[in-house]
Amino acid sequence: MAHDAHDPLQHPEVRLVNGRAYIAAFIVATALMTAALAVALHGSAVPHAMLVLSGAAALAIAVQIVFLLQLDFSSTQIWTTVSFLLAAPLFVIAVGLSMWMFHSLDARTMLMNLMP
Amino acid sequence: MVNVQGPWSPLLGRLSLGAIPDNPIIAGAFIFSVLLGILVLVYLTYADRWGYLWREWLTTVDHKKIGVMYIIIGLVMLFRGFIDALMMRTQQVLADGAHSPGFLGAAHGYLVPYHFDQVYSAHGTIMILFAATPILVGLMNVVVPLQIGARDMAFPYLNALGLWLTAVGAALVMLSLFLGDFSHAGWVGLTPLTELAYSPGVGTDYWMWAIQISSVGTTLGAANLIATIVKMRAPGMSWGRLPIFTWTALSTNIIALTSFPVLGVALGLLGLDRYFGTHFFTAGLGGNLMLYSDLFWIWGHPEVYFVILPAFGMMSEIIPTFSEKPLFGYVTMVAASFAIAGVSWSVWLHHFFTMGASPRVNTFFSVATMVVGIPTGVKVFNWAFTVYRGRSRFDTPMMWAIGALFMLLVGGLTGMMLAMPPVNYSVHNSVFVVAHFHTMLMVVVYGILGAVSYWFPKVFGFRLNEALGKRFFWSFTIGTIVVFIPMYTSGFMGMTRRLDYLTNPALMPFEIAEEIGIGFYLVSIYYFVRQLYVSLRDRNANRVGADAWGSARTLEWLAPSPVPFYNFAVTPRVHARDELVWRRGQGLEGAAPPRYEDIPMPRNTSVPLAIGALALGLGFGLVWRIWWLTDVSFIAIILTVIARSFVRDTDYVVKAGEVEGIEKRLRQRAAEAARAATSASGIDALRPRESNP
């Protein structure tokens, strides 16, 4: 590179690259998803299947945040981290309001119960 | 993998000669497109422009050129969408009452229901996703880096990739006209009509993959614009000094980045249903067709604000410039933009109030929808107070901006009516709703047309013809009034939307009026094309300096017109919210920098174009189920991306001396243009002039 100030490899965001963390994230996420699939397939055999699935999902998200995205409060990552946190209310709104709507819809239309 | 009806071969998938539609209208469109294509190819060869096209446009990573190409794609698709509208209006005016005549094999009118359904589905899909969205993204691409004093976007290569993915989506929609058919399930994709059992053809697949691929481009573009605004602002460009258009670009791209993935998921699940036989949205077998409506509108409503917020930003730039006064209520304008963006996430259910949710749920979404009126009202008053006691000039951009304000008033108030579930129950799926959202989208169209004439001189260095611009504006506005007032009325009279045949002859007068209105739109297109032609022909007489309007306020007007590829010779230091006004006050307008510096610039690359071509292969293969093509394209895309990541020689340096030379030439030309303008008209060169076309 003729001009180091503009070398993309010198950007602090790029310096975060960490092969070992990526592989760890991949392995853990794959393991969690396989376990979740197994629980979903044999739901009746596992006590509190819904809780176990939710726990696995939460753990997978946490692993990806820490190892893959490497979100923290350093000056490099603060924008990304805050953006991520600000997206959380959207998630709650979209999923929460949808669940509320479907709950009332289910009781009022009984559509899903009538279908084979 | 699901077995599909009809023949299939490993080499061509579902594609066969039978896929070419046998219809005189489509044949006419095909001949028109082929002739136009041949004309362009002959011109490029005859004028020896292939190299220029390749170097300067197809492989460029310059944000301004990418923006212009986005806008060109959008304008072409806008024309196509308009032709669809013309066809729908003509069908409805012909097919009215039991005794109405039938042509071309239709019982009434000239379009059979199956074709009519495709026409309105294509109209909606094109106008929102392939006309409005690309033009807005294009304008943001051109203007935002200039407004914040950046050299280019944060990721120029990604920017080009976004463009070509959008182009692929548009190309797939256009291809569907001549090869196979398009979706007949509306632009929203009405479930379970989009399921394979009810739409076994390729139409829905075209619709689905066109949107899916182009929305990847839009999402990448959104990430790029956000990164640009956050990280690439010139020194002194604090958040409190950011121009309003850039603020709206930021809010709109936050919406895009958070909502487009939902669309991707909804279409992805539909794809699983259609290709792998899953049951996400089927009626029965564990599927839930209401879930599709829910997911689609979780994206769909934020998308509405994605298109309207930049239009608000454009109005906020144009109105102060032509009122020669600072924008009233800068802080409230920014707050209102973000309030609209925030509320956009909690109103989506008003698109299906009649689905059967409880009164409590409907009330919540009704109130949330009405809340949108508050920040929007703040904006309307801010614009009104900006004009109040201003030194108003009614140049073409200002006309469009004021027109947008009126559209917003009508669209907004009818929106408030529709926000009430009882009203919504009686007019749901009527053309009243259609007229309402068209009035709202007219805000976007007026904003866009104003912005195009406003920033045109910045990009090309000469102004568009004023007199023809005004004729364009007035014929367009008359068309809007004559089409949509009868549409509101017939909606109240109970006319439902998407009708290929009207049973009620009392609606006939409204249909005739709408047909006349669409004729005015046709006239307006003539004036627009003529405006472009005349302006291009007389460009030397209409050259402008850095500040094309004499009263511009923001940073982009500091750069020379047309803007050189590096934007600013020296990164400007920003001192005030209206930087150009501040510099004018200090007598610094047009001052040359004391010394020039080397400028590092990104190098052109053909990789985004190649990935686009491969994505077209992928999309086409998926539509026609040509598996070898999808496999080859997909693997090639991944390999291309990996190969590109090893390319280290991605930028170059423009030497300070070269920059100085370019700048000197530009300054000299601007001075000559100003002198020529003064001597030709004998009036103040900075004032916009009327010229006789």
Side-chain angles (χ1 to χ4, degrees), chain B residues 532-580:
Chain B
L532 288 178
Y533 168 72
V534 169
S535 311
L536 197 65
R537 189 192 65 195
D538 301 342
R539 60 185 177 280
N540 286 327
N542 290 315
R543 295 250 177 241
V544 292
D547 176 5
W549 303 103
S551 54
R553 315 184 68 82
T554 36
L555 195 60
E556 74 269 30
W557 301 102
L558 192 68
S561 316
V563 186
F565 61 94
Y566 49 76
N567 290 358
F568 298 93
V570 174
T571 300
R573 176 164 286 279
V574 180
H575 309 83
R577 194 174 282 162
D578 287 337
E579 176 66 11
L580 201 63

Side-chain angles (χ1 to χ4, degrees), chain B residues 219-276:
Chain B
T219 314
L220 294 178
N224 204 348
L225 270 158
I226 293 174
T228 306
I229 296 171
V230 171
K231 295 275 187 189
M232 309 261 296
R233 283 167 290 134
M237 180 63 84
S238 59
W239 290 107
R241 291 178 185 159
L242 209 58
I244 289 287
F245 181 70
T246 303
W247 269 118
T248 55
L250 182 64
S251 58
T252 219
N253 282 299
I254 290 173
I255 294 178
L257 192 63
T258 48
S259 72
F260 267 91
V262 184
L263 175 71
V265 168
L267 293 176
L269 295 180
L270 180 65
L272 288 175
D273 277 11
R274 287 184 65 84
Y275 286 78
F276 292 100

Side-chain angles (χ1 to χ4, degrees), chain B residues 186-199:
Chain B
W187 84 275
V188 298
L190 299 160
T191 39
L193 195 54
T194 46
E195 290 289 335
L196 199 60
Y198 309 99
S199 301

